[in-house]
Amino acid sequence: MRISTHDWTPDDVIGGNAALDFVNTVDKWTGEPVDRLGDASTVARWAEVAGLLYGDDMKRVAKEIASDPKGAAKFYKDAARLRAALWRIFHAVANGNDVSDDDLALIDDWKARAARHCRIARDGDGFRRRCTEAAPALERAGRLIVEAAEELLLEGRLDRLHVCGGDSCEWMFLDTSKNGQRRWCSMATCGNDAKVKKHRMRKKKKAA
Ligand SMILES: [Zn+2]
């Protein structure tokens, strides 16, 4: 897959779910897909924009990558594999097709991977499972992505899962509009492109 990194901004976070936003870090999945991340540090920058990492996390990620570059490269490879599986799952759901068991199993694999960083701990008079502090920041971003995927599959409005109709886009989103007729990832980008195209076509027709 071609890599072309992107300067992520909050305007790019349009999926309504972190797993969808992660899938949206690739453009045009069904054509010639373009990976807009490419490495672990860009995943971290995206995760910060998406609200999965914050505070000192970016410093921690920089340290993690500097102290274990091979581990960071492996994380990226694994994360890209997860992203492809999530795309296949949600693309199948959006189109009413069957979802592969292997792809679903990858969500469980990542849950198990995250569980390694979670411990049962005392909490006042009771107990709770603590996951966040001991885990490397990159792994935590991965955990939040799979948790979002699971939440969407188990409890989400899957009937509102749409794919943007933009020519080179195909980003996915949960349509929370009242009438459920949202067609574009964003009116400012793909929606506007479509409007301009329509306008040009009309002009052409008039001129003919
Ligand atoms: Zn779009």
Side-chain angles (χ1 to χ4, degrees):
M1 193 185 302
R2 187 163 71 84
I3 295 170
S4 171
T5 51
H6 175 69
D7 198 8
W8 293 96
T9 72
D11 286 346
D12 298 317
V13 183
I14 56 87
N17 174 283
L20 295 181
D21 284 316
F22 188 49
V23 166
N24 292 345
T25 58
V26 169
D27 291 343
K28 198 71 185 172
W29 277 101
T30 65
E32 286 178 25
V34 181
D35 181 355
R36 297 298 201 161
L37 295 177
D39 60 25
S41 67
T42 317
V43 173
R45 268 209 303 282
W46 166 81
E48 188 182 33
V49 170
L52 305 181
L53 297 180
Y54 41 81
D56 284 340
D57 286 340
M58 297 308 280
K59 278 188 202 156
R60 293 181 59 194
V61 169
K63 266 191 202 161
E64 286 166 19
I65 293 174
S67 69
D68 184 10
K70 266 192 191 162
K74 164 110 177 36
F75 172 86
Y76 185 69
K77 216 172 140 195
D78 292 348
R81 220 176 121 225
L82 171 70
R83 182 178 57 179
L86 293 176
W87 174 74
R88 285 191 296 269
I89 290 169
F90 291 122
H91 192 260
V93 168
N95 289 288
N97 296 331
D98 281 346
V99 170
S100 128
D101 287 341
D102 285 350
D103 286 338
L104 290 174
L106 203 59
I107 293 179
D108 284 330
D109 289 351
W110 271 78
K111 292 278 288 188
R113 177 179 175 141
R116 291 204 304 260
H117 300 290
C118 301
R119 295 281 178 273
I120 193 160
R122 281 202 167 276
D123 184 30
D125 291 337
F127 297 88
R128 59 175 284 198
R129 189 164 282 282
R130 286 185 205 276
C131 295
T132 52
E133 288 313 311
L138 277 172
E139 293 291 334
R140 183 147 39 88
R143 174 170 65 79
L144 293 170
I145 290 166
V146 285
E147 280 177 1
E150 187 176 61
E151 188 188 307
L152 180 52
L153 288 170
L154 299 183
E155 298 157 30
R157 287 283 312 266
L158 292 172
D159 58 321
R160 288 297 191 101
L161 182 58
H162 293 178
V163 180
C164 175
D167 280 342
S168 54
C169 180
E170 294 184 11
W171 281 15
M172 305 186 99
F173 55 87
L174 280 180
D175 182 358
T176 52
S177 68
K178 229 181 192 173
N179 57 10
Q181 304 274 312
R182 181 176 154 198
R183 292 173 63 194
W184 314 109
C185 60
S186 144
M187 274 319 289
T189 55
C190 291
N192 194 49
D193 288 352
K195 233 178 10 191
V196 170
K197 223 186 224 171
K198 214 170 163 187
H199 183 69
R200 263 196 220 129
M201 294 264 279
R202 232 181 262 149
K203 258 181 141 176
K204 248 192 204 166
K205 259 188 198 164
K206 259 189 189 170

